[in-house]
């Protein structure tokens, strides 16, 4: 759901007011979990569910949600509160969680800030600030690829727009 939601946000090349892949939005609509969130249905892992749910909500919100999407978003926001309460019980977080979470939260905060579990997620912010400061001091070198390039979506949009396309490969 996380990756599909990013794909669902891509605007069409010929009509940027419409999604390039509307089937990605349809997938998200069809794959909302019975608890209101998005993510892996067979494993209850709050970190993964939070990232997937935030990303799915953002994708649905991006395209001026349909009335039924507004209900999906509300249900997803309720699930986020439950997932956030489980974070402290999980011994590990996925790689990049502390970088991706603040980016997604910041994009949703203006419209849903009062409905997001911001206090429960606040502990991640100090890790984010430390790692972002380190990453911002790094300069991409197309001759020397780095692992941090694989999660560039964690960068703030203004920083992301400054990157040279030469770091991209066929994949």
């Amino acid at each position: 759901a996380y990756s599909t939601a990013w794909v669902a946000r891509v605007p069409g090349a010929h009509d940027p007011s419409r999604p390039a892949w509307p089937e990605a939005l349809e997938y998200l609509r069809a794959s909302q979990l019975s608890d209101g969130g998005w993510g892996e249905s067979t494993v209850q892992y709050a970190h993964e569910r939070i990232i997937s749910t935030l990303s799915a909500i953002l994708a649905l919100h991006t395209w001026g949600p349909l009335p039924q999407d507004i209900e999906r978003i509300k249900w997803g926001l309720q699930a986020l509160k439950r997932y956030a309460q489980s974070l402290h019980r999980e011994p590990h977080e996925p790689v990049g969680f502390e970088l991706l979470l603040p980016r997604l939260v910041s994009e949703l905060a203006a419209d849903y800030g009062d409905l997001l579990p911001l206090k429960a997620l606040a502990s991640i912010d100090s890790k984010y600030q430390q790692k972002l400061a380190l990453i911002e001091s790094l300069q991409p070198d197309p001759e020397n690829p780095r692992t941090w390039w694989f999660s560039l979506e964690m960068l703030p949009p203004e920083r992301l727009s400054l990157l040279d396309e030469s770091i991209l490969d066929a994949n």
Side-chain angles (χ1 to χ4, degrees):
Y2 172 77
S3 297
T4 301
W6 275 99
V7 169
R9 293 177 58 198
V10 174
H14 301 294
D15 183 358
S17 69
R18 302 180 56 83
W21 294 284
E23 59 271 20
L25 282 172
E26 289 307 315
Y27 172 83
L28 293 172
R29 291 176 178 124
S31 65
Q32 190 168 20
L33 301 172
S34 61
D35 69 357
W38 281 267
E40 171 55 47
S41 62
T42 59
V43 177
Q44 176 69 28
Y45 186 51
H47 286 84
E48 183 270 337
R49 294 259 181 109
I50 286 172
I51 293 294
S52 294
T53 300
L54 285 167
S55 192
I57 289 171
L58 188 54
L60 293 171
H61 177 76
T62 295
W63 299 108
L66 302 172
Q68 62 268 33
D69 290 340
I70 293 170
E71 289 306 311
R72 285 184 182 91
I73 289 169
K74 286 180 185 175
W75 199 20
L77 290 165
Q78 292 169 1
L80 282 172
K81 290 178 183 176
R82 292 189 302 277
Y83 299 154
Q85 293 171 357
S86 300
L87 283 179
H88 70 280
R89 291 185 288 234
E90 296 181 347
H92 305 288
E93 59 190 43
V95 173
F97 178 82
E98 72 282 1
L99 295 168
L100 299 171
L101 177 75
R103 166 70 191 273
L104 293 167
V105 167
S106 72
E107 289 194 55
L108 288 169
D111 294 305
Y112 301 107
D114 57 332
L115 300 173
L116 292 169
L118 297 176
K119 284 186 181 180
L121 301 174
S123 64
I124 306 300
D125 195 54
S126 63
K127 289 182 191 177
Y128 172 71
Q129 295 301 331
Q130 289 172 343
K131 289 194 176 185
L132 189 60
L134 173 64
I135 289 170
E136 289 203 352
S137 70
L138 300 174
Q139 292 300 316
D141 175 6
E143 302 300 317
N144 194 11
R146 300 288 184 206
T147 56
W148 63 274
W149 296 4
F150 293 97
S151 293
L152 287 175
E153 72 270 20
M154 56 77 185
L155 292 174
E158 60 278 359
R159 174 79 166 109
L160 195 55
S161 68
L162 298 175
L163 293 176
D164 188 311
E165 288 186 22
S166 65
I167 68 168
L168 301 176
D169 64 15
N171 296 317

